Amino acid sequence: MSFPLLTATAVVPALGAIATAAVPATRRTAAKWLAFLFSLATLVFAAVVLIRFDPDGARYQLTESRAWIAEFGVRYELGVDGIGAVMIALTALLIPFVIGAGWNDADPVEGEKSTSRWRPTQGFFALILAVEAMVIISFAATDVFLFYIFFEAMLIPMYFLIGGFGDRAHAAGEAEGAKQRSYAAVKFLLYNLVGGLIMLAAVIGLYAVTADQMGEGTFSLQQIAEARASGQLDMATNTERLLFLGFFFAFAIKAPLWPLHTWLPNAMGEATAPVAVLITAVVDKVGTFAMLRFCLGLFPGASDWATPVIVVLALVSIIYGALLAVGQRDIKRLVAYASISHFGFIVLGVFAMTSQGQGGATLYMVFHGISTAALMLVAGFLISRRGSRLIADYGGVQKVAPVLAGTFLVGGLATLSLPGLAPFISEFLVLVGTFSRYPAAGIVATAGIILAALYVLLLYQRTMTGPVEKPEIAKLPDLRVRELAVVAPLIALLIFLGVFPKPLTEIVNPAVEHTLSDVRKDTDVKEPKPQHPVAEHKKAWFDYKPAAPAGHGGGDHE
């Protein structure tokens, strides 16, 4: 039996979580370094997954399959296509930066006894590693029930990270801040639990359908695909649509998509900046990833049926999120609403049902994760210095902390998809793919680009430019070595992938074609071929043959 690489990639952070939690209360620094080293080890395993993945090979690679709950057809099945491999790499890449940025976020406040039985520092980093392990399994699971377990299980450590280790920079004071953190954590948990319960009903329904038509119930994606291809599994139209809605509802909450988005601004606003990055750059990506793997893979006909409504919801998310970002007074809530707008672009690309749209959506998941991490982590460094999340409490920062201001600007420009930075490529592909099938939707979506420029540049102008009028700003230190070590690689990646995205596109594109082929087999969806007037004129020119001159008998002429 070959080495279980995917299992090992998930087990490493799980073991790291256990080891970090077991470190004695007085050894906080040791716990931090232990968590960081385990995150680096996970990154090495994820890199091996990416290197060993062959874009021209089988659809699912590095597969593992073992009986788990045989009585109910549940198996421990793992495997990655190009999309899953890239998302695992993104997760493993970001966690070391999350840990590095949150190095001091869970240290006891002044006056608190560090020898207490509750070890906040150890718990903070252990929970981050636990989330990483669960997300990796979610990206690799090819058994629906296995995916569902970890899709829901990751809510528990996230609940404690938001409610127990929230942002201390609250304008209303620590007592009110604790209430707001608790509210945000409970709201996050309840929203996602409701979605999970509805999805559970759909998962059970899927098992019942396969048991009825195949003779034996299964949750295996590959078995379901084979049964559909052979005609053994043929879901009734209404059944398929109901099951699709159960899955999509849970994924739309996790993503999040309007109008199921309202938990995100609270959660990101009250969490520390590194945990906010964990939410929007890692955990939320499970929702959009699952739309590709499960909604389109299991229910292609229902996905095509629901596409017009979902496209409208995605457009509302794009415009609504951007408009609310423009009007925000809180830096972190501004980034949260900007993320809602960006997730609208991702969902739009997924349901454009074109190779450009879905390829762009996958790249968008990766590039949004990197750009949001850069912007939010620098914002967190800024907030920790000033002790305030309010935009009005800043101004003139670039005069006293030019490196901080410069990195903040690059993160912001990546967020608005400036050409030359990685997010531009993904957003461009999403818009091209959408316009080729839904021109009106593509035109509306471009308004999100204009609004993005507005909220990013206004944020930079209000916080970084102008005179230094507040004494707290005059004393602001620039980025420290640790903070530079966190931000600089992210910015370098944004620039590198902005000019050379080929390493990712070569991995992602074959997986996108596999996904679209599933949809095309069961629907009338075809890859649109837009008309090019210039091409038609060229064809007419090359087909033109001048009339023969008089007296030459119509012979050939040069």
Side-chain angles (χ1 to χ4, degrees):
M1 183 179 293
S2 60
F3 179 73
L5 183 57
L6 293 176
T7 295
T9 307
V11 166
V12 169
L15 291 176
I18 296 170
T20 303
V23 173
T26 56
R27 304 293 298 275
R28 294 196 301 273
T29 302
K32 296 173 185 179
W33 279 108
L34 187 63
F36 183 70
L37 291 174
F38 269 100
S39 71
L40 289 181
T42 307
L43 179 58
V44 171
F45 276 91
V48 174
V49 169
L50 209 56
I51 292 168
R52 289 190 57 185
F53 183 83
D54 180 11
D56 299 322
R59 178 173 185 176
Y60 293 109
Q61 300 178 33
L62 307 175
T63 55
E64 304 172 32
S65 181
R66 297 174 181 81
W68 186 18
I69 310 175
E71 295 81 0
F72 298 100
V74 180
R75 298 185 63 82
Y76 178 81
E77 284 193 352
L78 303 180
V80 289
D81 58 2
I83 301 171
V86 167
M87 296 310 298
I88 289 174
L90 172 69
T91 302
L93 172 70
L94 291 180
I95 296 302
F97 297 111
V98 168
I99 291 174
W103 199 255
N104 301 317
D105 284 359
D107 287 349
V109 295
E110 187 177 353
E112 180 180 343
K113 293 182 180 180
S114 60
T115 55
S116 61
R117 294 181 63 186
W118 166 239
R119 293 169 285 194
T121 303
Q122 289 83 336
F124 179 74
F125 293 108
L127 289 170
I128 290 174
L129 291 173
V131 171
E132 180 182 22
M134 294 175 186
V135 170
I136 288 173
I137 288 290
S138 298
F139 286 139
T142 55
D143 182 277
V144 177
F145 195 81
L146 178 67
F147 168 83
Y148 174 78
I149 288 175
F150 287 94
F151 180 79
E152 289 296 284
M154 70 180 71
L155 301 179
I156 304 304
M158 286 306 307
Y159 168 80
F160 287 109
L161 283 170
I162 297 169
F165 300 94
D167 194 349
R168 296 168 181 170
H170 203 284
E174 177 58 29
E176 182 61 25
K179 292 180 182 178
Q180 292 299 321
R181 289 194 295 271
S182 178
Y183 171 78
V186 171
K187 188 173 184 179
F188 162 82
L189 188 63
L190 289 179
Y191 265 67
N192 284 276
L193 281 178
V194 168
L197 288 173
I198 293 175
M199 180 181 170
L200 178 60
V203 169
I204 295 171
L206 177 66
Y207 178 82
V209 170
T210 57
D212 179 59
Q213 297 193 17
M214 298 169 58
E216 183 178 6
T218 182
F219 295 103
S220 171
L221 280 178
Q222 297 187 60
Q223 289 182 19
I224 292 172
E226 291 170 0
R228 181 185 286 113
S230 65
Q232 188 179 4
L233 178 63
D234 185 16
M235 296 186 198
T237 300
N238 289 337
T239 300
E240 182 181 355
R241 290 176 180 179
L242 286 172
L243 295 178
F244 165 84
L245 290 175
F247 278 74
F248 180 78
F249 184 79
F251 302 153
I253 291 175
K254 183 84 80 179
L257 185 69
W258 183 92
L260 305 172
H261 67 282
T262 59
W263 64 267
L264 183 64
N266 296 100
M268 287 185 66
E270 299 304 327
T272 62
V275 173
V277 170
L278 190 64
I279 294 170
T280 189
V282 176
V283 172
D284 288 355
K285 296 302 189 302
V286 178
T288 47
F289 165 83
M291 291 179 188
L292 279 165
R293 173 166 285 188
F294 297 103
C295 287
L296 271 62
L298 292 172
F299 317 111
S303 298
D304 181 45
W305 162 75
T307 288
V309 174
I310 296 173
V311 166
V312 171
L313 295 178
L315 291 175
V316 174
S317 289
I318 292 170
I319 304 303
Y320 172 85
L323 284 174
L324 265 66
V326 172
Q328 288 303 303
R329 298 180 297 171
D330 183 308
I331 297 174
K332 291 167 72 176
R333 289 178 70 90
L334 185 151
V335 179
Y337 279 109
S339 291
I340 292 170
S341 181
H342 293 144
F343 276 105
F345 276 107
I346 295 172
V347 175
L348 183 65
V350 169
F351 285 90
M353 300 294 186
T354 62
S355 56
Q356 299 101 324
Q358 291 190 359
T362 303
L363 293 178
Y364 212 127
M365 287 190 270
V366 177
F367 297 157
H368 170 263
I370 299 172
S371 62
T372 300
L375 180 61
M376 179 60 87
L377 292 180
V378 177
F381 298 149
L382 178 66
I383 292 167
S384 67
R385 285 160 164 73
R386 176 68 175 85
S388 173
R389 307 194 317 240
L390 299 179
I391 296 172
D393 288 338
Y394 296 89
V397 173
Q398 66 182 11
K399 289 184 171 63
V400 297
V403 178
L404 188 153
T407 53
F408 189 81
L409 178 61
V410 175
L413 293 177
T415 298
L416 63 82
S417 300
L418 182 76
L421 297 175
F424 169 76
I425 296 169
S426 55
E427 192 160 282
F428 177 77
L429 287 172
V430 167
L431 290 173
V432 169
T434 302
F435 189 83
S436 63
R437 186 176 297 281
Y438 303 107
I443 293 170
V444 173
T446 55
I449 301 175
I450 301 170
L451 292 171
L454 186 61
Y455 62 69
V456 167
L457 295 178
L458 282 176
L459 173 64
Y460 185 83
Q461 180 190 44
R462 292 168 179 171
T463 56
M464 302 295 167
T465 66
V468 179
E469 297 178 344
K470 298 177 177 63
E472 296 87 353
I473 300 299
K475 300 181 293 184
L476 225 62
D478 213 334
L479 290 182
R480 303 177 181 92
V481 174
R482 172 180 61 84
E483 295 165 338
L484 270 175
V486 168
V487 177
L490 295 174
I491 291 176
L493 272 174
L494 290 172
I495 296 171
F496 174 76
L497 293 173
V499 296
F500 189 61
K502 186 178 179 182
L504 288 183
T505 58
E506 287 182 340
I507 297 174
V508 165
N509 287 342
V512 167
E513 288 301 323
H514 282 302
T515 302
L516 282 173
S517 68
D518 289 341
V519 177
R520 291 169 186 152
K521 288 175 186 175
D522 288 30
T523 67
D524 296 328
V525 173
K526 299 280 189 292
E527 188 74 15
K529 296 180 179 180
Q531 297 296 320
H532 298 285
V534 174
E536 293 297 323
H537 284 302
K538 286 183 178 179
K539 183 176 184 299
W541 172 263
F542 286 117
D543 288 346
Y544 171 70
K545 293 182 179 180
H552 285 73
D556 294 332
H557 303 280
E558 294 183 1

